[in-house]
Amino acid sequence: MPKGRSVPSGRLSRFGQFGRLAGGLAGGMLAEGARRLADGQRPRLPDMLMTPGNLVRVADRLSHLRGAAMKLGQMMSLDAGDALPAELSQIMARLRADADPMPPVQLQRVLTAEWGHEWRLRFQRFDDKPIAAASIGQVHRAVASDGRELAVKIQYPGVRASIDADVDNVAALLRLSGLLPRELSIAPLLAEAKAQLHEETDYRREGAQMEAYRGLLAGKGGYVVPTLAADFTTENVLTMTFVDGVPIEDMVSASQTERDRIASLLVSLVLDELFEFGVMQTDPNFANFRYQPESRRIVLLDFGATRPVPAATADGYRTLLYSGISGDGEAVKRAAIAAGFVGKEAARRHEALIERMIEIIVAETAREGPFDFADRNFLSIVREQALRVAQDSEAWHVPPTDTLFVQRKISGMALLAARLRAKVDVRSMVVARIGTETTAI
């Protein structure tokens, strides 16, 4: 666990942190530009900005800020997957690891404000050293006076009030980097991100979502969800039963059979969320999933990013998946456009490239038997075609926000299954959920 650093909680102090980051990036860009000129190269803005040194600056500053700034950095680093060079992926992984915890003085101040000056009398033991520190809060182990073993998630001060400004500042950094084209309007997506982050900072809401998931999974084996401790929960402190488990990525050393079983449970959960529950926990951060080797159950944590799945979104995926497993490329294309995955202008301007991508994807989805998540060769071919389409600014397109959040969960679980080198009969699982009939387009 890193040494504690106070969370900047005021608007001016957080703005100052972004100012320091911008200044550091500018200095790094000047140094990189001078180096390239000395080597006889013509410097390009993205190349000068996205250097390992500047990425370290970004990761370190966002880790210090925590809150929405770090959460958005996590989303970008996770969604990039294996698209980043190995050394840059390692740097950005800093944002998916532990954040800097609050120092004890700040922690004491926060808990006194939430529970009162004599809050320690309610516990047999409260561990001041956190067992985890993430983007929005840090987690401590405790034993209540009645003997309950608890996990206490404490929100960093100032996080909720800083969400809107943090999102705008990170978006400005993306614009500066050139990674976010100026011609692409992401205002609806930014508004949705702000709304979801505000929901994630409401710990009473998250507690209710956690209890709802316990009910949804009550008749399904293979999962365990903590129980809410409502008497210790406030808007800024979420308390639940402590559930032991190991990081799910550690199971990469388990047998092939066990890894396949774990990945099957993850795929099954996503399909249930999409087609049965009508609600989905949309944050695929690996830290939200732990595993109990003895009980062979997946521990589900962090329900702040839970959101409803509209019927239209589920229907779009149902049609898309059915078309894919049926091997009907034309139907896949129609479904992808209807669901908003592919923009109409991109389909018109780059018909051959898109049809080639669909051909590759259909060949994979229509094949019977286990899908090898560790085999990423076809993805590199699809990514190459997609990058060629993305080079055309007239073809830029942002899918509907509901679809983006669902797809982020699906992509994250695919990355986790790939990390586990799992083989899963996804096709049979999908057929079992959607049957042989679907809505025609």
Side-chain angles (χ1 to χ4, degrees):
M1 182 69 61
K3 185 179 179 181
R5 283 200 290 182
S6 293
V7 182
S9 56
R11 293 181 61 185
L12 287 178
S13 61
R14 293 184 73 82
F15 183 76
Q17 293 292 329
F18 275 103
R20 290 178 61 187
L21 174 57
L25 291 179
M29 289 173 62
L30 288 174
E32 180 66 12
R35 186 189 69 78
R36 289 176 180 265
L37 285 171
D39 289 343
Q41 303 177 39
R42 183 178 179 179
R44 295 174 59 251
L45 178 60
D47 294 336
M48 290 190 295
L49 186 68
M50 303 306 289
T51 63
N54 273 348
L55 284 173
V56 167
R57 293 183 181 91
V58 171
D60 182 70
R61 193 58 55 190
L62 295 187
S63 294
H64 185 200
L65 284 163
R66 278 82 112 195
M70 184 176 175
K71 175 72 76 171
L72 289 172
Q74 288 175 342
M75 291 171 65
M76 289 184 291
S77 64
L78 182 65
D79 291 347
D82 51 9
L84 291 174
E87 64 275 11
L88 301 190
S89 293
Q90 292 173 5
I91 292 169
M92 294 306 288
R94 161 100 164 85
L95 291 171
R96 299 199 299 272
D98 288 338
D100 299 312
M102 289 182 280
V105 172
Q106 192 173 35
L107 171 67
Q108 176 70 28
R109 188 162 58 244
V110 171
L111 289 180
T112 297
E114 296 299 318
W115 289 338
H117 288 282
E118 298 182 345
W119 63 267
R120 286 190 183 271
L121 297 178
R122 301 175 66 187
F123 296 92
Q124 294 181 25
R125 190 187 83 240
F126 187 97
D127 296 344
D128 288 333
K129 183 178 180 180
I131 57 175
S135 56
I136 291 177
Q138 62 190 47
V139 182
H140 294 252
R141 285 193 70 171
V143 179
S145 56
D146 59 9
R148 283 175 295 168
E149 293 194 35
L150 301 173
V152 183
K153 183 162 72 170
I154 304 159
Q155 189 171 132
Y156 301 129
V159 162
R160 184 180 297 109
S162 66
I163 287 172
D164 292 359
D166 277 4
V167 171
D168 289 339
N169 285 329
V170 172
L173 285 175
L174 286 174
R175 294 283 189 199
L176 175 66
S177 71
L179 295 176
L180 198 61
R182 294 185 180 279
E183 297 86 349
L184 190 64
S185 174
I186 61 167
L189 182 58
L190 291 179
E192 192 67 28
K194 291 175 182 178
Q196 173 148 332
L197 286 165
H198 277 289
E199 289 184 343
E200 288 192 48
T201 57
D202 182 349
Y203 281 177
R204 291 190 190 278
R205 175 188 176 277
E206 181 177 349
Q209 296 290 348
M210 182 171 66
E211 287 295 281
Y213 255 79
R214 288 184 69 245
L216 290 169
L217 293 170
K220 300 177 183 291
Y223 312 97
V224 57
V225 178
T227 302
L228 177 70
D231 51 333
F232 285 101
T233 295
T234 70
E235 190 176 29
N236 300 309
V237 177
L238 174 61
T239 309
M240 67 205 82
T241 54
F242 176 80
V243 181
D244 207 358
V246 300
I248 199 164
E249 310 100 290
D250 288 0
M251 299 308 295
V252 70
S253 58
S255 68
Q256 184 71 54
T257 300
E258 188 71 353
R259 285 182 278 122
D260 294 348
R261 179 181 173 279
I262 294 170
S264 294
L265 285 170
L266 293 170
V267 173
S268 181
L269 177 61
V270 171
L271 292 175
D272 284 341
E273 289 176 315
L274 186 55
F275 298 124
E276 181 182 342
F277 299 165
V279 65
M280 179 176 284
Q281 190 285 95
T282 60
D283 184 354
N285 194 319
F286 296 171
N288 295 338
F289 306 86
R290 297 180 74 83
Y291 190 67
Q292 296 179 328
E294 297 80 13
S295 69
R296 304 184 72 201
R297 295 189 299 175
I298 294 176
V299 181
L300 303 178
L301 302 171
D302 199 331
F303 295 87
T306 301
R307 51 189 289 132
V309 179
T313 302
D315 287 343
Y317 273 96
R318 184 178 289 108
T319 304
L320 188 63
L321 288 169
Y322 180 82
S323 301
I325 62 179
S326 301
D328 189 338
E330 278 302 313
V332 169
K333 182 179 176 180
R334 292 196 301 271
I337 293 173
F341 282 107
V342 177
K344 292 181 179 179
E345 191 63 17
R348 184 185 70 81
R349 294 171 64 90
H350 302 281
E351 184 177 8
L353 287 174
I354 289 174
E355 289 183 352
R356 173 59 178 152
M357 284 190 285
I358 291 173
E359 178 185 339
I360 295 169
I361 294 171
V362 166
E364 292 293 329
T365 56
R367 184 187 305 148
E368 295 189 7
F371 177 81
D372 186 354
F373 280 94
D375 182 6
R376 314 283 284 176
N377 291 331
F378 81 96
L379 285 179
S380 62
I381 300 174
V382 171
R383 185 178 293 115
E384 180 184 343
Q385 310 293 321
L387 287 174
R388 291 173 64 185
V389 174
Q391 290 173 356
D392 179 6
S393 61
E394 297 295 324
W396 285 331
H397 167 74
V398 177
T401 53
D402 286 315
T403 300
L404 281 175
F405 281 107
V406 170
Q407 189 57 38
R408 179 171 180 252
K409 174 65 173 289
I410 293 172
S411 299
M413 292 302 92
L415 282 173
L416 181 49
R419 178 77 61 86
L420 294 171
R421 305 194 310 277
K423 299 177 182 179
V424 179
D425 192 351
V426 178
R427 186 179 188 277
S428 294
M429 297 173 72
V430 170
V431 170
R433 297 303 198 293
I434 67 176
T436 57
E437 295 182 3
T438 189
T439 304
I441 294 180

